[in-house]
Structure formats: structure tokens, C-alpha cells
Amino acid sequence: MDLGLKGKVVLVTASSKGIGFGVARVFAQEGARVVISARNTEELARARDEIVKETGAEVLAVRADLTVKGDVINLVNETLRTFGTVDVLVYNTGPPKPGTFAELSDEDWDYATRLLLLSAVWLTKGVVDTMVKRGWGRLIYITSLTLRQPIPNLVLSNTVRLSLAGLVKSLAIEYGPKGITANGIMQGHILTDRTMQLAQDQARRSGKSVDEIIREWSRDVPVGRYGKPEEIGYLAAFLASDKASYINGAMILIDGGLVRCVF
């Protein structure tokens, strides 16, 4: 299926590895001009080179720490300076600090708010005006299944990420009449480099193989496996296309059926 994304400018944050990299890779495969960002310059350069080598797409890499407002502003400015516009924003971040409510400090809450909410606000403010001028745009926010099913020991994620659902709905109402849709993706267990590192560590401790550990972790997922980063990318690419123009204000689960809630 041709999603009509060739030549679109797509900004994907936290995209040097993991889910963000998988998303950026899919958009590049679709012929989009892709902007990737991360805090680590070396990892960012490797990600850019890998995507370019595979797809031949135009890829701009900009270092940015999403918790630093100046970095976020610079990321948007560099994108606009290079490509002149932003057609699609795919917002993605790393995870906040784990911990129970009793274990978390005020500083932990402040950092998580900047990481999981304020960075989304700063990015949206930076790109939405150019979308309004063109009468077309896509705002896509990757969050977590914790919005529907809180996870013990992840109080920051359970709490702060939930605010993105309110942001998505508010943006959908305000900007839908202007040709811009806003949607959220609530992903489940995804097989990222970080997941593999944790599995390798568990395998060493238990004497089991990495494959055995992954299978054990996948038992609660009805489809019997973890998702792939590219599978998040496929959903994001569809939401960015005109074929999804009537999907607005949705929070979409992609978790292999892990969340049992019926609504």
C-alpha cells in the first residue's frame, strides 16, 4: 500500500535506537525526509548512517536532550532551516526512573514531567504553526500501555504519561478543523536493545538462554511474543497518511492483546 508519504518531512524524537529508530526507519522506507534526534552524538550518527545506507532517504540528525527546552527549540529550528517545514511529528521519549511513590523524590517528579510532558508541549508548539499554514499535519505521540494498565514500580510513567492522552484530545479538537490530526500510540512490550540487555543479564543470573527468558516474559502476551520496533513504525506511518485522515484524538493500543480492559 502506498501511504503517500514520499517527500514528507517527519521529525522523530529519541530515535537513535529502539522504538524511535524503528519508526524513523519505516518512514525512510516510505520515502519521507526524516529528522532523528538523541542525546548521544555517536549513536545518533550511526543511526543516521544506517538508515541512509538502507533506504537512500534524506536524514538529518540533530543532537537534543528532550528535557532541555533550548535543545528542543534548536531541534525544531534546525529542521525548519533544513527542510522548511514539518509535516509529521512523531513524539517518542525514553523511560523515566522506575520506583514506588515512596521512593521517588521531588527532583524525580520534576525530571519526569520535563521528559514525558513538557518536551511534548515544547515540540508541539514548535511545529504546529507551520502545519497550520500548510493546512495539513500529523501529530503522533508514542506513550505506553501504562495509560490503560498501570505497572507496579513505574509510578512516574503511570502518572505523567497519562497527561498525554489529555493533550492528544485537546489538540485533536483545536486543530482538527485546520487539517491537523493528533493521535497517541500506547505500545506494549517491544523487543528493543534495552530489552535484550535485560534478557541477557537475566539469562546470566539464571543459567537459562536469552530465548528462554524472552519466551517467559512473553507468556502474558496473547500473541506469544514481544513486538518489533518497526511494528510501531507501521502504525505511525499509517496514522501519518491521508488514509487515516478520519482518525483523530485516538489513543491506540498496540500490545499483542496484553491489556485485558475492554474499553
Side-chain angles (χ1 to χ4, degrees):
M1 181 184 292
D2 180 9
L3 293 176
L5 298 175
K6 187 174 182 179
K8 296 289 188 186
V9 177
V10 182
L11 171 55
V12 186
T13 58
S15 43
S16 65
K17 56 187 177 181
I19 292 172
F21 178 78
V23 170
R25 185 167 169 259
V26 168
F27 275 101
Q29 291 169 347
E30 290 292 323
R33 295 176 288 173
V34 180
V35 182
I36 62 175
S37 75
R39 289 180 293 186
N40 187 298
T41 304
E42 292 182 0
E43 291 179 354
L44 190 59
R46 283 197 295 269
R48 177 197 59 208
D49 293 346
E50 185 175 341
I51 294 173
V52 170
K53 182 178 180 180
E54 178 190 351
T55 68
E58 291 182 73
V59 181
L60 173 67
V62 182
R63 186 201 170 279
D65 181 339
L66 295 182
T67 67
V68 179
K69 186 176 183 180
D71 281 13
V72 172
I73 292 172
N74 180 66
L75 171 59
V76 173
N77 288 342
E78 285 296 316
T79 301
L80 295 177
R81 187 176 297 114
T82 302
F83 293 123
T85 190
V86 177
D87 297 300
V88 180
L89 169 65
V90 183
Y91 172 77
N92 178 56
T93 66
K97 179 180 178 179
T100 65
F101 184 83
E103 294 168 341
L104 297 167
S105 68
D106 288 349
E107 289 74 19
D108 294 330
W109 283 95
D110 179 72
Y111 183 84
T113 302
R114 284 184 281 119
L115 177 67
L116 302 177
L117 174 60
L118 289 179
S119 58
V121 172
W122 298 332
L123 281 159
T124 305
K125 282 180 174 290
V127 304
V128 75
D129 285 346
T130 188
M131 294 178 179
V132 170
K133 290 176 183 177
R134 293 166 64 90
W136 194 96
R138 297 289 184 264
L139 300 169
I140 302 168
Y141 302 85
I142 298 175
T143 61
S144 169
L145 60 77
T146 59
L147 274 70
R148 295 283 294 278
Q149 185 168 291
I151 298 175
N153 203 45
L154 293 182
V155 172
L156 289 174
S157 185
N158 296 342
T159 306
V160 185
R161 286 189 191 273
L162 190 60
S163 60
L164 281 182
L167 179 64
V168 164
K169 284 292 186 181
S170 298
L171 293 171
I173 293 168
E174 184 171 349
Y175 289 98
K178 301 176 182 180
I180 301 163
T181 63
N183 293 290
I185 294 173
M186 300 181 290
Q187 93 283 353
H189 298 324
I190 306 299
L191 196 59
T192 62
D193 291 342
R194 175 61 174 165
T195 303
M196 289 303 297
Q197 289 171 359
L198 294 173
Q200 289 166 0
D201 179 69
Q202 182 68 18
R204 283 193 298 269
R205 295 172 184 272
S206 65
K208 299 178 181 178
S209 71
V210 172
D211 287 343
E212 286 177 309
I213 297 299
I214 294 296
R215 282 197 297 272
E216 288 179 3
W217 290 354
S218 302
R219 284 175 183 167
D220 290 336
V221 183
V223 300
R225 65 175 178 85
Y226 272 35
K228 301 174 183 177
E230 288 74 17
E231 291 178 300
I232 307 301
Y234 300 146
L235 175 55
F238 175 69
L239 289 173
S241 74
D242 281 331
K243 293 176 174 59
S245 60
Y246 200 57
I247 302 175
N248 188 32
M251 299 298 297
I252 301 172
L253 269 173
I254 176 168
D255 68 343
L258 179 62
V259 173
R260 268 44 173 191
C261 181
V262 296
F263 58 87

